Amino acid sequence: MKTKLCLLGLLALAAPMAMAQYFPPETKPFHITIGGHLYQGDLQDPPFDIEAGFMGGIDYYMYPLGENTMSFLGVRGWFSSEGGTDAEAYGVHWGVRMNFGVQDTGTAGQPGQFYARLAAGYYNNRVEGFDNEWGFGGFAAIGYDFGGQFSAEIGYEVAPETNSIENHGWFGAIGVRI
């Protein structure tokens, strides 16, 4: 059953890439984000007492879905080793970035842009001493693009439960488009 779900998930993630050939490429298609993750729920409470960790990801912007919306495919993970417990979540996702109509002068004279990103995909949750669990995961974020290359965002990311242990929380990240 897990193999069938994995194959179905990979096909769902690959379909947008097949459509990308019909649209012009982005000038800076890769969006790399790094930042911190603040755990919520089970991992924040005893016996784990994990407060914070590191997060990182890379997304590839593929094609427009509308005037102010782009699709992307990417990978993301968040990791922590605190209080003698290792916790990690990582996976692949497909998502959309929606630019808001509000602009300002940004950096280097280029317009800045507020945006929202929403992604869903197939993630693994591993907490030391418990099972690994693959399933639904993803994130939602609100950010600001400083003139097309640098960005900052805050959001919430989730991974599937393993042995009824939730791995989710808030994140803050900086990003660069290359």
Side-chain angles (χ1 to χ4, degrees):
M1 182 65 178
K2 283 189 178 185
T3 303
K4 290 179 185 178
L5 286 174
C6 182
L7 290 174
L8 183 61
L10 289 175
L11 286 174
L13 292 172
M17 291 185 77
M19 294 178 65
Q21 63 184 330
Y22 299 108
F23 298 95
E26 280 286 299
T27 56
K28 294 181 180 178
F30 292 98
H31 185 195
I32 300 168
T33 55
I34 58 170
H37 177 86
L38 298 174
Y39 287 91
Q40 301 293 301
D42 297 334
L43 291 175
Q44 184 185 24
D45 298 333
F48 304 109
D49 295 323
I50 300 175
E51 296 294 327
F54 168 81
M55 65 78 54
I58 184 167
D59 297 311
Y60 178 75
Y61 287 96
M62 296 183 295
Y63 62 89
L65 296 173
E67 185 178 335
N68 292 320
T69 306
M70 290 291 296
S71 67
F72 61 88
L73 183 65
V75 296
R76 176 174 283 232
W78 53 98
F79 314 92
S80 180
S81 181
E82 192 173 322
T85 302
D86 293 336
E88 61 186 39
Y90 54 87
V92 297
H93 55 259
W94 179 82
V96 294
R97 173 186 162 142
M98 298 153 285
N99 294 329
F100 299 136
V102 178
Q103 292 189 0
D104 69 15
T105 55
T107 59
Q110 297 179 3
Q113 184 74 51
F114 285 99
Y115 64 86
R117 295 197 316 148
L118 182 64
Y122 198 57
Y123 277 72
N124 178 267
N125 179 13
R126 187 189 75 78
V127 178
E128 186 177 1
F130 297 90
D131 296 334
N132 283 358
E133 189 65 40
W134 284 91
F136 173 78
F139 66 93
I142 294 177
Y144 186 78
D145 190 343
F146 296 95
Q149 184 167 359
F150 299 103
S151 64
E153 62 186 38
I154 58 170
Y156 199 80
E157 47 199 3
V158 297
E161 291 183 2
T162 180
N163 297 94
S164 298
I165 299 170
E166 300 170 338
N167 189 338
H168 57 83
W170 295 98
F171 73 90
I174 56 171
V176 62
R177 293 277 302 265
I178 55 172

